[in-house]
Amino acid sequence: MYYRRKIDEFLKTWKADSEHKPLIVKGARQIGKTESIMHFAENNYENVVYINFALETKYMQILAEGYGVENVIKNISLVNPSLQFVPGKTIIIFDEIQENPDVATTLKSFKIDGKYDVICSGSMLGINYKKIHSNSVGAKTDYEMYSMDFEEFLWAKGYSQEQIDSILFHMLTNKAFNDNELAIFKSLFLDYCVLGGMPDVVKIYIETGTFSGTLDVQKQIRLDYEEDVRKYAEGLDQAKIISVYRNIPSQLAKENKKFQFSKLAKNARSREYTGCVEWLIDAGVIMECKCLQFPELPLKGNVEESKYKLYYSDTGLLVSALDDEAQEDLRINKNLGVYKGALYENFVAEAFAKQGLGLFYYKKDNSTLEEDFFVRTQNDLIPVEVKSNSAQSKSLSMLIKNKNYSDIGYGIKFGNFNVGYTNDIYTFPYFCSFKLKEYLKKKNGVEKWRN
């Protein structure tokens, strides 16, 4: 069974644009890129030409006579003469192009020719993307894909768009959820935290109604990521890259979540790991949250390069990396224990990244003033706090009240509570975080309408 994804609507819009360019779909391994592209292709084209450079090495020489469309099609047909190329009715899919990045050079020819639609895809594209981009500049459209977000998870569970949009309605109207609504969405959210959004994991859960087998799939995905390090990390210390990846869960569990290389090995220094963090980010398997120099706009250019927090791109994979005792607490008892703050913070970071929101935080030296995240609108900087308990939000209140921080007018707090508003702080349940960008976009309009 195919589960609806957000890329589905994008692909329909892309095809409907008469001036559309060849498309490159980027994203980490096993997030559902190929499945979504093939689902779209089979439902919208008479002829689908699918080439996987990782599994079908016989296609590696299709560029032997150059990058022109006729030569490429001729060489594909020589390998498989049964393939049909009908102008206006054919889509060509080049998958796993990280194995053959020169294919991107053909995109300019395909754009000029205009007879066939082309979609390229692959994992690890971030690693090869400088070369891919230079080979196809001006001749392509990029789309960044992620594992399933909470909204896609709710679609898979059978919830209607109207039911999902009710979450945004509660946020915009500042209307508390009733007990039944809150209990159901919180339960679904906890399941999603444990599962994450990897399609193979979600499918097992949906089809069996249990978590049985999901942990094994998650562990295998993490092993596959580490195997990618060994395969693609050229010129870098592969063991150090894997060490960074494996160390993220334990570092997030600490009070000070800033990533510290000294925790990786005795006397380890950041300069020894130059390129390792960047490699994992480019591979799409981790996210970086940058530390602001000052809590003010603009955000870009206002960061301390040596300070950052690291998160897993999929919270379910983070959960699968925890120790066996924590696994039992999470999957059976729904007790998040010592990892509570880390898991919720990782989920919010993941939700922000999937909405296209940047990841920024602030921690003042020699002070208790710190804030988990910052997001921005056109004119406002909004501090965002993720609470794992009912303690007061001292830093959040301080940032709002301090006149030195003129860009900050209000704050947002996600936690284990209902919708509310007190002292310029909007409170939302954790599961609302996936709607934050849409909320911020519509918030001003709602306030003007009220007035």
Side-chain angles (χ1 to χ4, degrees), residues 49-60:
V49 177
Y50 176 75
I51 295 173
N52 185 312
F53 290 111
L55 300 179
E56 301 171 294
T57 56
K58 59 187 179 182
Y59 288 106
M60 293 295 283

Side-chain angles (χ1 to χ4, degrees), residues 152-163:
E152 291 171 315
F153 175 76
L154 292 176
W155 289 341
K157 287 284 289 182
Y159 286 87
S160 69
Q161 193 61 51
E162 183 180 6
Q163 291 170 311

Side-chain angles (χ1 to χ4, degrees), residues 195-260:
L195 293 162
M198 289 296 179
D200 288 346
V201 176
V202 174
K203 283 179 182 178
I204 292 173
Y205 165 78
I206 297 291
E207 292 170 6
T208 66
T210 72
F211 291 102
S212 180
T214 58
L215 179 58
D216 290 337
V217 175
Q218 289 169 323
K219 287 183 174 179
Q220 185 57 54
I221 292 172
R222 287 192 293 107
L223 289 174
D224 289 343
Y225 283 172
E226 293 186 10
E227 185 58 35
D228 283 341
V229 174
R230 299 182 181 95
K231 183 176 181 180
Y232 295 106
E234 300 175 358
L236 291 171
D237 190 322
Q238 298 173 357
K240 287 180 178 176
I241 296 176
I242 292 173
S243 178
V244 170
Y245 182 64
R246 290 178 178 177
N247 236 263
I248 291 173
S250 61
Q251 296 219 22
L252 284 177
K254 298 183 183 301
E255 189 68 28
N256 178 11
K257 294 180 175 60
K258 171 195 167 187
F259 193 82
Q260 298 171 287

Side-chain angles (χ1 to χ4, degrees), residues 87-104:
K89 298 181 179 180
T90 301
I91 185 168
I92 303 171
I93 300 166
F94 294 122
D95 203 0
E96 303 293 357
I97 65 165
Q98 75 277 0
E99 302 293 340
N100 193 7
D102 278 348
V103 165

Side-chain angles (χ1 to χ4, degrees), residues 348 352 371-375 382-386 396 412 414 436:
V348 171
F352 285 5
E371 199 52 69
D372 297 324
F373 299 104
F374 285 86
V375 293
I382 302 114
V384 178
E385 188 158 298
V386 182
L396 189 55
I412 292 173
F414 292 107
L436 184 64

Side-chain angles (χ1 to χ4, degrees), residues 136-200:
S136 54
V137 62
K140 64 177 174 58
T141 297
D142 293 323
Y143 183 88
E144 187 82 27
M145 190 172 174
Y146 303 91
S147 64
M148 298 170 78
D149 68 8
F150 188 52
E151 185 165 24
E152 291 171 315
F153 175 76
L154 292 176
W155 289 341
K157 287 284 289 182
Y159 286 87
S160 69
Q161 193 61 51
E162 183 180 6
Q163 291 170 311
I164 297 170
D165 287 343
S166 72
I167 295 174
L168 180 62
F169 170 79
H170 281 279
M171 296 172 72
L172 288 169
T173 58
N174 202 35
K175 181 181 178 181
F177 293 92
N178 65 42
D179 291 344
N180 184 54
E181 291 172 324
L182 192 62
I184 289 173
F185 282 125
K186 282 172 66 175
S187 177
L188 288 164
F189 167 74
L190 282 172
D191 284 354
Y192 176 74
C193 272
V194 173
L195 293 162
M198 289 296 179
D200 288 346

Side-chain angles (χ1 to χ4, degrees), residues 187-427:
S187 177
L188 288 164
F189 167 74
L190 282 172
D191 284 354
Y192 176 74
C193 272
V194 173
L195 293 162
M198 289 296 179
D200 288 346
V201 176
V202 174
K203 283 179 182 178
I204 292 173
Y205 165 78
I206 297 291
E207 292 170 6
T208 66
T210 72
F211 291 102
S212 180
T214 58
L215 179 58
D216 290 337
V217 175
Q218 289 169 323
K219 287 183 174 179
Q220 185 57 54
I221 292 172
R222 287 192 293 107
L223 289 174
D224 289 343
Y225 283 172
E226 293 186 10
E227 185 58 35
D228 283 341
V229 174
R230 299 182 181 95
K231 183 176 181 180
Y232 295 106
E234 300 175 358
L236 291 171
D237 190 322
Q238 298 173 357
K240 287 180 178 176
I241 296 176
I242 292 173
S243 178
V244 170
Y245 182 64
R246 290 178 178 177
N247 236 263
I248 291 173
S250 61
Q251 296 219 22
L252 284 177
K254 298 183 183 301
E255 189 68 28
N256 178 11
K257 294 180 175 60
K258 171 195 167 187
F259 193 82
Q260 298 171 287
F261 291 99
S262 59
K263 304 293 184 183
L264 301 182
K266 188 176 181 180
N267 300 321
R269 297 290 182 269
S270 60
R271 64 177 178 273
E272 300 169 11
Y273 289 81
T274 300
C276 295
V277 171
E278 290 79 4
W279 194 96
L280 289 165
I281 293 169
D282 287 343
V285 300
I286 69 170
M287 305 172 293
E288 179 188 34
C289 184
K290 300 176 180 179
C291 183
L292 295 175
Q293 294 177 334
F294 306 101
E296 61 185 26
L297 297 173
L299 297 180
K300 293 182 179 178
N302 176 24
V303 298
E304 295 189 45
E305 298 294 341
S306 62
K307 292 183 180 180
Y308 46 81
K309 297 185 289 187
L310 299 178
Y311 300 99
Y312 273 24
S313 297
D314 185 271
T315 303
L317 295 186
L318 175 68
V319 170
S320 73
L322 306 182
D323 55 72
D324 291 342
E325 290 76 17
Q327 291 290 340
E328 184 174 344
D329 261 357
L330 280 163
R331 295 172 184 274
I332 299 174
N333 305 322
K334 298 293 178 71
N335 174 24
L336 302 186
V338 68
Y339 290 97
K340 184 184 293 185
L343 295 181
Y344 284 144
E345 199 172 309
N346 199 103
F347 172 80
V348 171
E350 178 188 349
F352 285 5
K354 289 177 177 178
Q355 293 170 78
L357 295 170
L359 296 179
F360 301 92
Y361 78 106
Y362 179 70
K363 181 172 176 57
K364 188 175 183 179
D365 291 335
N366 303 318
S367 170
T368 58
L369 183 61
E370 60 180 308
E371 199 52 69
D372 297 324
F373 299 104
F374 285 86
V375 293
R376 68 161 301 173
T377 61
Q378 185 173 355
N379 300 311
D380 298 313
L381 180 64
I382 302 114
V384 178
E385 188 158 298
V386 182
K387 298 295 289 186
S388 60
N389 53 46
S390 58
Q392 290 187 337
S393 306
K394 294 180 180 179
S395 290
L396 189 55
S397 298
M398 194 179 303
L399 286 165
I400 296 168
K401 293 176 181 177
N402 194 323
K403 294 182 180 180
N404 291 325
Y405 308 132
S406 58
D407 295 324
I408 299 173
Y410 64 94
I412 292 173
K413 183 166 62 173
F414 292 107
N416 189 26
F417 30 68
N418 213 321
V419 174
Y421 176 75
T422 306
N423 298 326
D424 296 317
I425 298 175
Y426 294 89
T427 58

